[in-house]
Amino acid sequence: MAVNSVSYTLQAFREKATVADVQLQPDLSEAAARLLDFLVDVDAHANLHKGPDLDNAVQRYERFWLPLAAAYPSRDMLPPLDIAWVWYLHMLAPSTYEHDCINVVGEIVSHKFDAPARRRQATAVAQQLWREMYGEEPFDAAPVPATFTHTSTALSLDFVTAAEREATFFYQVSLPHFRDQSYLLRSVKRYTLFLLLRKQHQDTLLAPTCDISLIWRTHRSYPVEYKAECTSMYGSVWDQCISDTDLSEGSRLREAEERTRELWKAEFGETDEDYICDGGMWRGHSPRGTMATLPPEFFTAGSTHYQLTVGDVSLHKCSLPKQYSSYRLTLTSRKKATTVDWPLSATSVVPKGFAVDGQLGDKSELTLLLLARKGHFALSSTHVLETPVALDAAVANVPRASGEHEIQLAIGTEGLSSPVSLLLSLRVSWVVPDDFGLTLGPGTLLQPITDSPAVTELYPHRLGVTSERIVDGCLAHHTLYDHNGKASLRARVAFGTTPSLAAVQVTTLDGSLLATGHLIGVEQLPVSLSLIPSRRLTWGPATVPGKQERTMLVKDNDGDLYLVKARWETNPLSRADGVHRYGDTSIPVGTITFAVYDVRQNRQRNYSYSSLEFKRFCVENVEVNCQNGFITVRNSNLNTLPSHIALAFSLGMLCSLCCPVALPQPASKCFQKGEKDLSFLNATGFSHRDHIPSNHYLERMWKLPVAVRSVQEDNQSFNGAPADFWHLSGGRGFASFSQFCRSTHGTGGLSPRNMSPRTG
């Protein structure tokens, strides 16, 4: 695949009216989409990031693949995933790749990303040629012993470090807008400018934004074309690599970023494309593998449903009158009975399928009857002895751990001179219900933060910045109880006065983090107006200026799960006072809309609720009763229950953040559940909207208009900022949309040096 030339001069660029006039490179945008497909596959195989599987892949790549690819340069071949991963890591260091290829096979081995329709054929060709060259050597990677190491190699790259770096980078570009061709085309244009900037500052360490870095990595994945382009522009291959992820003040990466921003502004001036890019900035480290997970006993600890199976049955009897011929065992639960008869001669039996699904309190019981000899199996009403035994007492003491538990139960008869007793072996398994419910208990409402904690203490996966601290903010602690009234989980709701600081943490009772939800802004999500004219974002969520939208990202130990965007549209003319009241809670008349994007399933669903429907929210697998604080998670499992609790709290927090007007709320320091109040919303900040970064608070403190004029794609002037940006700048006016973006950049939100609210 040929890569179009990007050999422009700065003078030629300055002569152009807008950056949109710069020649596009659609081949790189398409290749970037294919690279992302590939990185998704690798991300699902964490074993390839380090350890023996990575060592084995390096050996297979060096010993088998490089010679094979060099022997058939014109054949379209696709290697197995482990080799493809190592090949990609190798190409990201162009000078090292060239040196090693020449050392191993005598030439630079070319590479390209095949279109999806050609991958199967390319794999088949590679397998055939592999068999011809290597015989029985497996094409796909075989299981690798844990003790395997690859010590003898002619390759000079540290693949372990490279794999760790790329795993971190993939998280930066894993949100859905990076799969949109319009966004990728824009990224190619920005990469073009980045190349031009380097042409003028070849001795300066430059730091690309994440969207530029994606295209740069794509370009380097075509090693022959990349070398030719760099040689044409710079006289040699550009081999810069910044492996740092430390963005704290004074770090090497922070200094390079600030230097690049200054040079970009000096070289390109007031162009359509600033260095700061909506949706293309650093968003912190992946949470994968950094949070705790619930043990299997969590669900069974409060379960009242069980499955009971009767195992061995042993009969112990003394001499009985001859009229007793057999005994009957009946298992009864929920008005359903299972009955089995055995002759008295059968002193030990193992019944098959003798089981029942029971629930504590449903009066399940086992009953032993002695049957008289009359006819074949008929009962004699004068000689039947019945002994029922309730199962609740026997089952209630079974440990609430997962798996099967075996208990012994004895049943005996009474009223006979020679008693009969049965010893039963019962297997009990606690059943996890499909729907799992937790209730929000009384607790504290938002209280001021007094110890100025670091941002990373409340938002551990939000940023790579460690020095920023929360000077003003508020915090609330809540406890969630199971149906038995036992404390099960805790939730911590936090807000800072900085517009993008709002988060919820779901933890175990001992404080282990299980899931989080936090605000994200335009540095992590694209804005529709910033896309190429006539090309709207069609893949994934985006923010829309003027709609006062707020977005939260829900994460758990497996990574990102939900992007939740909310917008509140008021309709004050529908009621005389413009509010709807639930007890002491006042709701502005209107509609709130949640757009929930499932990152793992690549789908979006929209949910709308009018102010008359605020008693209950049903979003994805979560049902929230806002009056009694009861949260039900449908189809719950150990992996997603905490993240769905975080989703429930995120919905409440978004209601609080998006509310555009100030309404009187009850003043209280404690969270108490009223019969009619929207208690759950109050617990997530709704009653403290004047002290959290809500739309109303931002309007009041920074004098931002509630209803911002629609900003057209022609970058018309406006005084004030799009309300969904929340990267504020002390109420200053801006001449254009792009000027606003440039002057309000911070680390994921309003930076401390720009926080100067206008008073009066």
Side-chain angles (χ1 to χ4, degrees):
M1 174 183 294
V3 179
N4 291 348
S5 175
V6 294
S7 302
Y8 308 110
T9 65
L10 287 177
Q11 182 62 34
F13 170 76
R14 292 191 181 103
E15 292 174 354
K16 295 182 179 294
T18 66
V19 71
D21 296 325
V22 177
Q23 181 181 352
L24 301 180
Q25 299 174 7
D27 49 351
L28 279 183
S29 65
E30 294 171 2
R34 298 172 188 174
L35 171 59
L36 289 171
D37 289 338
F38 167 70
L39 293 179
V40 168
D41 292 339
V42 174
D43 189 62
H45 296 78
N47 59 305
L48 293 178
H49 292 163
K50 60 182 178 180
D53 289 291
L54 178 59
D55 290 339
N56 183 55
V58 172
Q59 176 178 274
R60 282 161 41 83
Y61 165 70
E62 179 183 1
R63 291 181 55 189
F64 303 117
W65 185 257
L66 280 180
L68 180 66
Y72 299 96
S74 61
R75 302 297 296 271
D76 190 5
M77 297 185 295
L78 183 65
L81 184 64
D82 64 322
I83 292 178
W85 171 235
V86 172
W87 196 5
Y88 167 72
L89 297 176
H90 203 186
M91 290 184 294
L92 294 184
S95 297
T96 300
Y97 180 75
E98 178 179 357
H99 173 271
D100 290 347
C101 282
I102 293 176
N103 188 33
V104 174
V105 296
E107 60 180 332
I108 301 178
V109 179
S110 63
H111 172 272
K112 67 176 182 179
F113 286 109
D114 284 302
R118 296 183 56 84
R119 290 174 188 168
R120 179 175 297 182
Q121 179 181 355
T123 300
V125 171
Q127 289 175 323
Q128 178 184 350
L129 297 177
W130 180 290
R131 285 193 299 269
E132 293 177 0
M133 181 172 287
Y134 302 120
E136 298 301 321
E137 181 68 32
F139 179 78
D140 295 310
V144 183
T147 57
F148 176 87
T149 57
H150 179 43
T151 56
S152 177
T153 177
L155 306 181
S156 51
L157 182 68
D158 183 351
F159 286 94
V160 174
T161 300
E164 292 176 352
R165 180 191 66 239
E166 291 310 302
T168 299
F169 171 74
F170 173 67
Y171 181 70
Q172 312 309 314
V173 296
S174 61
L175 287 180
H177 60 274
F178 279 99
R179 313 303 294 275
D180 183 81
Q181 276 297 307
S182 298
Y183 191 84
L184 291 176
L185 284 171
R186 178 195 176 197
S187 300
V188 170
K189 292 198 300 181
R190 288 169 47 78
Y191 172 63
T192 299
L193 299 183
F194 188 68
L195 294 178
L196 292 172
L197 188 65
R198 200 266 175 175
K199 186 176 179 64
Q200 297 299 113
H201 305 277
Q202 297 194 27
D203 296 329
T204 303
L205 181 65
L206 301 178
T209 57
C210 294
D211 64 317
I212 292 175
S213 190
L214 173 63
I215 305 302
W216 195 7
R217 281 166 161 79
T218 304
H219 201 178
R220 282 183 283 181
S221 298
Y222 293 76
V224 175
E225 293 84 352
Y226 181 75
K227 178 183 179 181
E229 195 67 55
C230 287
T231 302
S232 174
M233 293 186 70
Y234 314 128
S236 61
V237 172
W238 188 10
D239 203 16
Q240 172 186 312
C241 177
I242 298 180
S243 58
D244 298 338
T245 58
D246 180 11
L247 279 168
S248 60
E249 294 292 341
S251 67
R252 177 171 176 260
L253 182 56
R254 173 62 73 88
E255 291 179 352
E257 181 189 68
E258 293 177 351
R259 186 184 310 112
T260 306
R261 189 189 314 174
E262 294 171 358
L263 293 175
W264 187 293
K265 182 177 181 180
E267 293 292 353
F268 304 132
E270 298 293 329
T271 69
D272 287 343
E273 286 297 343
D274 187 28
Y275 172 77
I276 305 305
C277 172
D278 54 292
M281 307 305 293
W282 172 265
R283 65 189 191 98
H285 293 280
S286 169
R288 178 174 296 177
T290 64
M291 300 190 199
T293 56
L294 290 173
E297 293 77 17
F298 177 84
F299 279 121
T300 57
S303 177
T304 60
H305 293 77
Y306 60 86
Q307 184 178 66
L308 183 144
T309 302
V310 179
D312 297 337
V313 178
S314 300
L315 174 66
H316 301 272
K317 64 181 187 298
C318 298
S319 58
L320 291 173
K322 294 183 179 180
Q323 68 264 30
Y324 295 107
S325 61
S326 60
Y327 62 95
R328 170 177 293 171
L329 195 61
T330 302
L331 188 57
T332 307
S333 176
R334 300 178 189 176
K335 299 182 180 180
K336 295 182 180 180
T338 304
T339 300
V340 180
D341 293 345
W342 294 286
L344 287 174
S345 59
T347 58
S348 180
V349 295
V350 180
K352 295 182 179 180
F354 199 32
V356 68
D357 292 328
Q359 182 179 6
L360 295 179
D362 67 356
K363 299 182 179 179
S364 299
E365 62 182 17
L366 271 167
T367 305
L368 170 65
L369 298 93
L370 288 180
L371 308 183
R373 186 191 305 276
K374 183 177 180 181
H376 191 56
F377 281 107
L379 299 180
S380 173
S381 59
T382 58
H383 296 291
V384 174
L385 292 174
E386 180 177 348
T387 307
V389 175
L391 291 179
D392 275 8
V395 174
N397 295 323
V398 174
R400 293 298 205 279
S402 59
E404 282 192 340
H405 306 273
E406 187 168 321
I407 61 174
Q408 303 293 322
L409 180 64
I411 304 178
T413 62
E414 297 179 358
L416 291 177
S417 57
S418 300
V420 174
S421 65
L422 289 180
L423 183 63
L424 296 91
S425 176
L426 307 179
R427 296 190 299 272
V428 179
S429 299
W430 293 104
V431 178
V432 178
D434 291 336
D435 300 338
F436 196 87
L438 293 170
T439 302
L440 183 66
T444 60
L445 284 174
L446 293 170
Q447 300 295 308
I449 296 176
T450 58
D451 56 351
S452 299
V455 169
T456 50
E457 293 180 29
L458 298 181
Y459 314 91
H461 302 291
R462 179 182 169 273
L463 298 172
V465 181
T466 58
S467 59
E468 186 180 355
R469 306 192 73 81
I470 301 176
V471 179
D472 297 313
C474 46
L475 187 66
H477 297 271
H478 299 290
T479 303
L480 297 164
Y481 297 84
D482 64 18
H483 67 279
N484 293 321
K486 181 180 179 181
S488 298
L489 296 174
R490 299 195 193 282
R492 182 163 68 163
V493 176
F495 292 97
T497 52
T498 300
S500 61
L501 292 183
V504 58
Q505 294 179 337
V506 178
T507 70
T508 60
L509 296 179
D510 61 6
S512 299
L513 187 63
L514 298 169
T516 66
H518 64 78
L519 275 177
I520 60 174
V522 293
E523 292 184 355
Q524 288 79 41
L525 281 181
V527 177
S528 297
L529 296 186
S530 65
L531 302 181
I532 296 174
S534 77
R535 290 179 178 267
R536 309 299 293 178
L537 189 72
T538 58
W539 210 102
T543 54
V544 180
K547 297 295 187 181
Q548 294 194 325
E549 297 172 343
R550 312 297 287 274
T551 303
M552 294 188 72
L553 178 61
V554 177
K555 308 175 180 179
D556 58 20
N557 191 56
D558 293 327
D560 298 345
L561 180 56
Y562 290 121
L563 279 164
V564 189
K565 183 173 65 175
R567 180 175 72 248
W568 195 315
E569 296 177 327
T570 58
N571 184 16
L573 300 180
S574 61
R575 286 175 60 95
D577 54 3
V579 300
H580 187 85
R581 289 182 173 82
Y582 295 84
D584 291 331
T585 307
S586 299
I587 301 294
V589 173
T591 301
I592 190 166
T593 299
F594 300 108
V596 183
Y597 189 90
D598 189 323
V599 177
R600 299 173 191 172
Q601 299 296 326
N602 295 332
R603 59 169 173 78
Q604 178 172 310
R605 291 173 176 167
N606 298 328
Y607 306 85
S608 294
Y609 295 91
S610 73
S611 53
L612 298 175
E613 302 172 312
F614 266 53
K615 293 181 180 180
R616 189 186 305 271
F617 293 146
C618 296
V619 175
E620 292 298 310
N621 291 333
V622 174
E623 180 178 326
V624 182
N625 188 315
C626 295
Q627 289 187 312
N628 61 22
F630 189 72
I631 304 172
T632 303
V633 180
R634 310 293 185 192
N635 302 316
S636 57
N637 60 67
L638 291 172
N639 295 327
T640 62
L641 176 68
S643 51
H644 281 93
I645 298 297
L647 172 61
F649 275 86
S650 296
L651 297 174
M653 294 174 70
L654 285 169
C655 288
S656 305
L657 291 166
C658 291
C659 187
V661 297
L663 295 172
Q665 301 295 337
S668 173
K669 293 184 178 180
C670 296
F671 163 61
Q672 299 291 340
K673 293 188 292 184
E675 294 182 358
K676 297 182 179 180
D677 298 344
L678 298 181
S679 304
F680 183 81
L681 293 188
N682 291 334
T684 55
F686 199 79
S687 59
H688 286 63
R689 298 193 304 278
D690 277 353
H691 305 284
I692 65 175
S694 64
N695 289 358
H696 164 69
Y697 174 86
L698 298 177
E699 176 203 1
R700 180 171 61 86
M701 295 300 294
W702 275 273
K703 302 302 181 184
L704 289 180
V706 173
V708 179
R709 285 188 300 168
S710 176
V711 184
Q712 303 300 322
E713 289 191 357
D714 60 1
N715 260 350
Q716 70 178 25
S717 300
F718 65 99
N719 186 18
D724 67 320
F725 257 67
W726 308 123
H727 292 247
L728 312 177
S729 60
R732 297 190 301 270
F734 302 98
S736 68
F737 179 81
S738 58
Q739 180 187 352
F740 169 77
C741 295
R742 285 192 295 275
S743 50
T744 59
H745 170 63
T747 54
L750 180 64
S751 62
R753 56 181 174 271
N754 287 335
M755 286 185 63
S756 54
R758 189 172 66 181
T759 59

